[in-house]
């Protein structure tokens, strides 16, 4: 099993969990949302539920409030599959606005879905998980980004402080599934994606 690679979005989500009752994490498929939810230390103590699980989806569709009462802190992956569940989240949050109570995740952009954004207005904050950045894949999250250093005047533009990026690295991009594939295998994967 590949070790978990920490994501830069962690630093944005952490304060949101202390402020908002609902944190929604969206993004295109295969960017690592589920891996992030299941492995990032931010979500330790959350009960994780995936609506890809047919039994969980049926419960979310038929008894949404019952599903929401299973834990004090709940992470619901693929939440867009049960729109009525989001109305139930609204009702629960209106009774108790405990910060960080619900994490909703899915590939649909919740902010663009009118009924969802209306039902969670003022209750949720939205984040989009992008494919890996080079800083994430090169374990550079503890370093100040080069451009930040450049604009702060900490480095000179011609110092060569940057590193060379290989053609293969560019062609593979940042999708988690393809980061260790050959360029040809990555091209095949992208064709299927």
């Amino acid at each position: 099993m590949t070790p978990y690679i920490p994501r830069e979005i962690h630093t944005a989500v952490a304060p949101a969990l202390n402020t908002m009752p609902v944190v929604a994490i969206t993004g295109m498929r295969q960017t690592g949302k589920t891996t992030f939810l299941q492995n990032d230390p931010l979500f330790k103590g959350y009960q994780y539920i995936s609506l890809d699980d047919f039994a969980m989806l049926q419960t979310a569709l038929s008894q949404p409030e019952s599903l929401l009462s299973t834990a004090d802190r709940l992470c619901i992956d693929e939440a867009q599959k049960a729109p009525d569940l989001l109305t139930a989240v609204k009702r629960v949050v209106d009774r108790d606005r405990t910060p960080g109570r619900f994490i909703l995740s899915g590939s649909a952009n919740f902010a663009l879905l009118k009924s969802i954004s209306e039902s969670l207005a003022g209750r949720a904050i939205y984040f989009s998980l992008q494919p890996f950045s080079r800083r994430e894949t090169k374990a550079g999250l503890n370093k100040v980004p080069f451009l930040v250093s450049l604009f702060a005047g900490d480095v000179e533009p011609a110092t060569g402080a940057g590193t060379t990026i290989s053609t293969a690295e560019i062609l593979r991009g940042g999708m988690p599934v393809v980061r260790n594939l050959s360029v040809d295998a990555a091209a095949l994967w992208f064709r299927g994606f």
Side-chain angles (χ1 to χ4, degrees), residues 26 29 31 52 57 59 62 66 70 72 75 85 87 109 117 123 129 138 152 170 172 178 181:
T26 64
R29 294 193 178 280
T31 56
D52 276 340
L57 177 59
T59 302
S62 63
S66 172
T70 59
D72 290 336
C75 178
L85 178 66
T87 303
N109 186 341
S117 63
R123 298 164 187 92
L129 184 65
K138 296 297 183 186
I170 293 168
R172 280 194 303 267
V178 298
L181 297 178

Side-chain angles (χ1 to χ4, degrees), residues 116-167:
I116 295 170
S117 63
E118 287 176 359
S119 68
L120 295 178
R123 298 164 187 92
I125 185 166
Y126 303 89
F127 295 95
S128 180
L129 184 65
Q130 302 299 318
F132 280 128
S133 69
R134 190 158 195 265
R135 281 174 37 87
E136 290 169 326
T137 60
K138 296 297 183 186
L141 293 183
N142 295 327
K143 299 176 185 173
V144 176
F146 175 77
L147 287 177
V148 171
S149 297
L150 178 67
F151 292 134
D154 297 334
V155 296
E156 295 294 320
T159 63
T163 57
T164 304
I165 301 173
S166 72
T167 303

Side-chain angles (χ1 to χ4, degrees), residues 5-21:
I5 297 172
R7 303 303 303 263
E8 198 155 5
I9 195 173
H10 170 104
T11 58
V13 172
L17 291 173
N18 295 320
T19 306
M20 299 297 290

Side-chain angles (χ1 to χ4, degrees), residues 64-84:
E65 289 204 23
S66 172
L67 182 68
L68 297 179
S69 68
T70 59
D72 290 336
R73 294 169 49 166
L74 197 57
C75 178
I76 304 168
D77 203 359
E78 298 299 339
Q80 78 279 358
K81 292 184 176 187
D84 288 344

